[in-house]
Amino acid sequence: MKLIIQIPCYNEEIALPVTLSQLPTKIEGIDEIEVLISDDGSTDRTIEIAKSYGVNHIVYSTHHKGLAKTFLAGLHKAIAEGADIIVNTDADNQYCADDIEKLVRPILDKKADIVIGARPIKEIKEFSKFKKFLQFMGSKVVRLLSSTATEDAPSGFRAFSREAALAMNVFDNYTYTIETVIQSKTKGFHIISVPIRVNPTFRKSRLVKNIFTYIQKNSFTIIRMFIIYRPFRFFALIGGAIAFAGLILLGRFLYYYFMISGDGHIQSLIISSILIIIGFQTSIFGILADLLAINRKLLEDVQVRTKKLENK
């Protein structure tokens, strides 16, 4: 049983030595532990430091592509190197490396395909009350959309079984955390959360440079992923809401027509007709989108089979 710990890096020459020095070298049930650095076009000594610490695998990038693409590149490399379990952690030593065993244990015991480390958000002193609230609400929205019990959706400290890693796709350019949760449930993988510890902040987050930009990008990601992986539900909800508004106006027209004046309020009838038609058409879009989603799933099945053949 081989575990590969992958670390996406972008100019991490200061934090990387601390992170690498704390990684576990032995875990019960794991025969081999290897480390993989997925570099995102670093311009400092990140690669040099990784080599000096004897990192087993390095994924090189000629330019900065962003966290999502860097994560996916590392995932593909880990699969190619024969990983049975892949753990992703941050280079800034945010997560307690001793808790890697907590992540891999449910996969070893065949109780989960993906395990996400849930941070003690309420106890993190560096997080403002507003940020804690956003973390709570964001995870709650992802739980509702993905039908999972994910407690900390933005957490990058997570473990994947080989089967789950083979099936992962990342379309978003900003981050992979929310997308991989939403798509995993639709692909039949079991996700659980385990409580993990965090270390004192080593540096400011590069992903959250501005809290309002972070909200905007994550909101767009959630909506986009909902459309991709739950298209019928997305359009049916919108179409149903529009049609319901039309029915309310229709009820208003009928009330005035039969109970009060017997005429007038024709504008309610016109608007209600328009809304009901729009709602119906939106629901039809949902059916078409769902058919396209089925085609995507078939292509993804082919993709997984191809990856398995390539990485035997």
Side-chain angles (χ1 to χ4, degrees):
M1 182 67 68
K2 178 189 282 191
L3 165 66
I4 291 184
I5 303 170
Q6 79 159 32
I7 308 173
C9 290
Y10 179 61
N11 292 338
E12 297 288 1
E13 65 177 5
I14 297 175
L16 188 59
V18 179
T19 303
L20 292 174
S21 65
Q22 295 186 10
L23 295 179
T25 57
K26 290 184 180 180
I27 294 177
E28 184 180 351
I30 299 292
D31 302 308
E32 301 176 70
I33 299 179
E34 296 181 353
V35 180
L36 182 151
I37 295 296
S38 185
D39 182 60
D40 191 18
S42 296
T43 56
D44 63 357
R45 298 175 59 250
T46 295
I47 298 298
E48 183 182 335
I49 290 172
K51 290 179 178 178
S52 69
Y53 273 80
V55 167
N56 306 89
H57 314 286
I58 299 176
V59 178
Y60 298 91
S61 177
T62 57
H63 61 282
H64 184 54
K65 296 179 179 179
L67 178 60
K69 300 303 180 186
T70 304
F71 162 80
L72 193 61
L75 206 66
H76 289 163
K77 178 64 174 176
I79 292 169
E81 295 297 337
D84 297 297
I85 301 175
I86 302 166
V87 166
N88 186 85
T89 189
D90 285 358
D92 61 359
N93 199 42
Q94 174 186 173
Y95 307 108
C96 180
D98 290 338
D99 288 339
I100 288 177
E101 184 171 3
K102 289 184 180 180
L103 296 182
V104 303
R105 186 57 52 194
I107 296 177
L108 288 172
D109 294 341
K110 307 296 183 183
K111 294 181 179 179
D113 302 294
I114 300 172
V115 183
I116 300 176
R119 296 165 293 178
I121 300 296
K122 293 181 180 180
E123 301 173 14
I124 300 178
K125 297 179 180 179
E126 292 83 3
F127 283 11
S128 65
K129 290 183 179 180
F130 183 53
K131 187 173 182 179
K132 290 178 180 179
F133 173 75
L134 290 176
Q135 294 279 357
F136 171 77
M137 290 304 299
S139 294
K140 188 172 184 178
V141 170
V142 173
R143 282 198 298 273
L144 289 172
L145 296 182
S146 64
S147 302
T148 67
T150 305
E151 296 177 16
D152 187 4
S155 172
F157 196 39
R158 51 184 66 189
F160 298 85
S161 68
R162 183 176 180 83
E163 287 296 318
L166 281 165
M168 287 299 104
N169 286 308
V170 178
F171 302 114
D172 190 61
N173 290 322
Y174 183 58
T175 183
Y176 61 90
T177 53
I178 294 172
E179 180 175 354
T180 51
V181 171
I182 294 176
Q183 71 174 277
S184 295
K185 184 66 176 181
T186 66
K187 294 178 178 179
F189 295 115
H190 182 49
I191 307 174
I192 67 170
S193 294
V194 296
I196 53 99
R197 296 163 291 176
V198 295
N199 297 315
T201 302
F202 202 93
R203 59 162 172 75
K204 291 184 178 180
S205 172
R206 290 174 180 159
L207 194 64
V208 190
K209 294 179 180 179
N210 180 292
I211 193 67
F212 297 104
T213 301
Y214 179 75
I215 294 171
Q216 179 186 14
K217 289 185 176 181
N218 270 314
S219 298
F220 177 75
T221 297
I222 290 172
I223 294 171
R224 186 184 181 200
M225 292 308 108
F226 195 29
I227 295 173
I228 292 175
Y229 295 106
R230 293 276 199 272
F232 180 75
R233 186 183 298 183
F234 177 83
F235 286 104
L237 285 172
I238 294 177
I242 295 173
F244 181 70
L247 290 173
I248 291 175
L249 288 175
L250 178 61
R252 179 179 185 274
F253 168 78
L254 293 175
Y255 172 77
Y256 278 98
Y257 185 82
F258 289 108
M259 303 298 293
I260 299 181
S261 61
D263 59 3
H265 300 283
I266 193 68
Q267 68 273 18
S268 295
L269 180 62
I270 294 172
I271 296 174
S272 71
S273 299
I274 293 172
L275 290 176
I276 291 171
I277 291 171
I278 293 174
F280 177 75
Q281 289 179 330
T282 303
S283 298
I284 293 297
F285 291 152
I287 295 173
L288 296 174
D290 197 49
L291 292 174
L292 291 174
I294 292 172
N295 186 58
R296 191 201 71 248
K297 289 176 183 177
L298 293 174
L299 291 174
E300 287 181 339
D301 287 341
V302 173
Q303 180 190 51
V304 171
R305 291 173 185 271
T306 302
K307 287 181 180 179
K308 286 181 178 179
L309 290 172
E310 291 175 345
N311 296 289
K312 274 189 175 181

